[in-house]
Amino acid sequence: MSTTLILIQVLNGLQLGVILFLIAAGLTLVFGVMGFINLAHGVQYMLGAYLAVWLYGATGSFIAAFLLALPLALVLGLVLEFLVFRHLYARDHLSQVLATFGVILFLNQLVEVIFGPAALTVEVPQFLDWSFELVPGLLYPAYRVALIVAGLLVAAALWYVITRTRVGMLIRAGATNPEMVSALGVNVRQLFLVVFGFGAMLAGLAGVLAAPVFSVEPGMGDDLLIVAFVVIIIGGAGSIRGAFVAALLVGLVDTLGRTLVTDGLRLAMDASAANQIGPAIASMLIYVLMALVLFWRPEGLFAAKVTR
Amino acid sequence: MSDEAQPLGAAPAGPRPAFGLIVAVAIFAALALVPLVSGVWGGGWLTSLAIRAMIFAIVAISLDLLLGHGGLVSFGHSAFVAIGAYATGIMITEGVYEMALILPVAIGAAALFAVAIGAVAMRTSGVSFIMITLAFGQMVYFALGSLAQYGADDGLTLWSAPDVFGTSWLASETGVYVTVLGVLVATWALVHAVVGSRFGRVLRAARQNPTRVAAMGYSVTRYRLVAYVIAGVIAALAGVLWAVHAEFVSPSLGSWQRSGDLIVMVVLGGMATRNGALIGALFFVLIEEALSSITHDWRLIFGPMLVLIALFARGGLAGLLDRVQGPR
């Protein structure tokens, strides 16, 4: 296993981690602040990717598609909040699961009806369609580097909003103790709306950024949603910092695991057996990680909630 | 958000035992008539559909023991179905055709797995419990997909039906039908006996107030663990039946989507009610079949239907049934 290969895998892991962070950031706030289990959050990511497909096709400019997709993703999130989710905040978790599951089924199918069941691809925008030479002889696509940088910039901006602004203070307070915030005269309903729209937009942003890298297809958000839940459980519900650390951790463990586990097993057993078992063990790693975290620190690595 | 969220339709089982019993008997009678009807209309499609619905109903009823009565939201219940199905598939592939041998292995494997992961999962509660059961479910899912000699991701075809004490009872569709219906009725009766027993009272009390139950000297963890094992074993039994019926097993039996479907069935029907899980599972499978025969895009109808039920039908379909019957 050469160092360059590991370097590439680290970059791929960061790329997955950044996408996961953008999805998990909204999810962890919605979950931490409102106690709302939103299974349909992965759908927002899918909608973002399809918005990118549609707007890129219509405008011919990735930048324009990017700038138009964000407000549209926000509007779609707010429409869903208005129609369905706001009626569920006071309900138990299982009603939320049932309703948001229904939303997933509906929107996945709607997207399939409009865009067809086949996977679509978005071309990498021309100004980023070139490669970095990381080390002599090793090229890495510029778009993927841009994706990582964009994700890190968003993370920095989020950190600023959450820790340095009044809204961020309210969100943090809400994640720690929503009843107290409400009792102090903050309009929690409005706060929820802000958090929700914000989260939907971030997931949409993840979709737009991921569209040129992953294939765009109905249901693309479902598996990532489960991984995003793994991220917020590891990071601690309601904690943006936790989501960031855990997203990068999960991204790296998952990506590096896929090559390292198989290679490691080859040392212990014959190659064909290692090739069979390796991927299965690698797929399990993030869940093993989550189980360990839940076992030793049930509240996650960076818990936002006050422990009573 | 409290860890012990009150499930909807959390009325104690059987405030009107007679009515619930009548509904259950009517459903079972209707299911018993299906093989006769299929001779005139529907044929193999109808019996196969009914078998599928009944197997899901068995799993859903076992899940309701955890979800509704125990307050334990297991998001990995389909793993037990997969364990039962794979125990059957692997033993038949290895030339063991006798159900009297397959069944103990399937049940033993499921019970062992339930004890092992249950002991870990019971240390957590609320959303952590949901996620840790999901994690173990995913581990089973990926482990089954790595069984190269048993088909890996593509699954395993069962080339022969198992024997039952040397007879070929399960080789005919009628034999399978009667067996599945029998297991369904037995599961329904067993779970209600369990829920109504002293054990069930402790379990339900622990859902509402675990601290108080513990203070009364009961080991909440032990009661929950036993419930977890019972539910896991029943689900594995359904997995065995699935393998026999479908003559094919694959890791997707244990996917998280399947666990999600099962939760939806129970909540849809009405948790911790006498017939909620039964009605929910039958409704889910039948409506899926009916809508998908009308239009390819049946989820456009089914999705909003779930949303409306979640928003307006508190207590699920069983709750609706109670309301139709009039106020208490």
Side-chain angles (χ1 to χ4, degrees):
Chain A
M1 184 96 185
S2 62
T3 341
T4 49
L5 204 53
I6 290 192
L7 189 62
I8 290 186
Q9 294 299 342
V10 168
L11 284 173
N12 285 343
L14 283 178
Q15 182 191 314
L16 177 62
V18 159
I19 301 265
L20 280 175
F21 169 68
L22 292 178
I23 300 174
L27 196 63
T28 199
L29 287 181
V30 167
F31 182 59
V33 177
M34 310 183 209
F36 178 56
I37 298 194
N38 182 13
L39 293 185
H41 196 71
V43 171
Q44 313 268 15
Y45 163 77
M46 178 187 72
L47 291 177
Y50 272 100
L51 282 174
V53 170
W54 173 53
L55 292 168
Y56 196 11
T59 62
S61 152
F62 188 79
I63 299 284
F66 182 88
L67 292 176
L68 286 173
L70 290 188
L72 279 175
L74 176 70
V75 168
L76 284 174
L78 293 179
V79 168
L80 279 177
E81 203 271 354
F82 180 76
L83 285 180
V84 182
F85 301 145
R86 68 168 46 181
H87 310 290
L88 290 162
Y89 295 148
R91 305 285 290 276
D92 60 279
H93 283 157
L94 285 167
S95 297
Q96 299 169 351
V97 167
L98 185 63
T100 52
F101 187 76
V103 171
I104 297 183
L105 291 183
F106 177 76
L107 287 176
N108 278 349
Q109 192 78 47
L110 188 67
V111 159
E112 191 181 317
V113 168
I114 296 174
F115 292 93
L120 304 173
T121 48
V122 173
E123 275 177 39
V124 172
Q126 227 155 33
F127 65 96
L128 285 170
D129 197 8
W130 46 279
S131 295
F132 272 107
E133 190 161 19
L134 284 177
V135 288
L138 175 71
L139 295 173
Y140 198 77
Y143 182 79
R144 289 168 179 246
V145 177
L147 195 163
I148 295 172
V149 172
L152 295 178
L153 285 178
V154 172
L158 255 182
W159 171 83
Y160 180 81
V161 170
I162 296 284
T163 59
R164 294 286 183 272
T165 66
R166 186 176 159 76
V167 174
M169 186 189 71
L170 289 176
I171 290 174
R172 272 183 296 137
T176 311
N177 197 335
E179 291 89 0
M180 185 58 80
V181 173
S182 172
L184 290 173
V186 174
N187 186 342
V188 172
R189 185 136 274 217
Q190 221 167 50
L191 183 67
F192 282 6
L193 199 63
V194 170
V195 169
F196 202 92
F198 213 44
M201 198 171 72
L202 285 176
L205 172 65
V208 175
L209 290 176
V213 182
F214 302 131
S215 63
V216 179
E217 55 194 332
M220 66 188 276
D222 296 0
D223 283 324
L224 266 186
L225 171 83
I226 290 297
V227 183
F229 266 113
V230 170
V231 165
I232 69 172
I233 291 297
I234 291 177
S239 163
I240 288 283
R241 188 166 55 131
F244 182 70
V245 173
L248 294 190
L249 190 65
V250 166
L252 286 171
V253 164
D254 194 57
T255 311
L256 285 173
R258 277 172 211 283
T259 44
L260 294 181
V261 168
T262 309
D263 282 6
L265 285 175
R266 281 213 191 105
L267 300 175
M269 56 180 74
D270 68 288
S272 69
N275 284 344
Q276 278 296 342
I277 301 171
I281 294 181
S283 313
M284 278 185 222
L285 281 181
I286 57 170
Y287 298 102
V288 174
L289 188 66
M290 174 169 81
L292 289 176
V293 167
L294 278 175
F295 193 76
W296 297 113
R297 275 185 76 93
E299 69 280 9
L301 298 178
F302 301 89
K305 273 252 181 299
V306 279
T307 42
R308 276 162 232 154
Chain B
M1 158 204 76
S2 81
D3 275 354
E4 304 300 325
Q6 275 296 313
L8 54 140
R16 289 173 174 235
F19 181 66
L21 193 64
I22 292 168
V23 170
V25 169
I27 291 172
F28 294 141
L31 286 169
L33 288 175
V34 166
L36 303 177
V37 174
S38 74
V40 187
W41 178 81
W45 167 81
L46 185 63
T47 43
S48 173
L49 174 67
I51 289 175
R52 209 168 77 221
M54 287 192 291
I55 291 177
F56 274 116
I58 295 168
V59 189
I61 291 173
S62 76
L63 180 61
D64 191 34
L65 180 64
L66 300 177
L67 212 69
H69 301 289
L72 302 165
V73 183
S74 167
F75 200 175
H77 206 55
S78 66
F80 292 103
V81 180
I83 287 174
Y86 264 85
T88 314
I90 290 174
M91 287 184 77
I92 287 178
T93 307
E94 296 299 335
V96 181
Y97 298 110
E98 180 51 60
M99 213 54 186
L101 295 172
I102 293 174
L103 220 46
V105 170
I107 288 174
L112 266 181
F113 183 70
V115 169
I117 71 165
V120 178
M122 294 305 161
R123 283 176 51 102
T124 65
S125 64
V127 174
S128 299
F129 184 84
I130 304 181
M131 299 315 291
I132 205 160
T133 48
L134 167 74
F136 286 121
Q138 289 291 86
M139 286 180 212
V140 170
Y141 171 74
F142 288 120
L144 294 176
S146 76
L147 297 173
Q149 66 273 44
Y150 303 113
D153 284 332
D154 299 332
L156 182 63
T157 301
L158 281 64
W159 298 109
S160 159
D163 297 334
V164 183
F165 295 110
T167 70
S168 55
W169 168 251
L170 286 176
S172 76
E173 181 135 60
T174 315
V176 175
Y177 195 95
V178 173
T179 309
V180 172
L181 180 58
V183 173
L184 174 62
V185 175
T187 302
W188 182 87
L190 174 79
V191 168
H192 285 292
V194 168
V195 168
S197 69
R198 185 180 147 282
F199 173 84
R201 281 169 200 281
V202 175
L203 192 66
R204 278 187 286 141
R207 182 194 72 207
Q208 291 177 352
N209 195 337
T211 319
R212 192 159 166 189
V213 171
M216 288 165 77
Y218 295 103
S219 164
V220 171
T221 307
R222 199 170 304 163
Y223 275 83
R224 286 180 170 168
L225 193 56
V226 171
Y228 196 67
V229 173
I230 294 174
V233 165
I234 295 174
L237 193 59
V240 173
L241 294 173
W242 180 268
V244 171
H245 161 65
E247 296 166 357
F248 174 74
V249 299
S250 78
S252 69
L253 277 175
S255 66
W256 71 264
Q257 285 93 339
R258 202 49 81 82
S259 291
D261 284 349
L262 290 168
I263 293 179
V264 167
M265 287 174 196
V266 174
V267 180
L268 183 65
M271 291 195 308
T273 54
R274 183 165 285 265
N275 297 313
L278 174 66
I279 295 172
L282 298 181
F283 180 80
F284 189 98
V285 175
L286 294 184
I287 207 80
E288 178 178 336
E289 185 74 23
L291 289 179
S292 61
S293 73
I294 300 171
T295 163
H296 168 73
D297 305 314
W298 60 278
R299 289 186 188 86
L300 287 183
I301 306 166
F302 191 54
M305 224 156 93
L306 291 183
V307 174
L308 290 177
I309 289 173
L311 288 181
F312 299 113
R314 281 176 192 245
L317 295 172
L320 281 182
L321 209 61
D322 271 359
R323 250 177 276 170
V324 169
Q325 205 210 354
R328 298 216 163 120

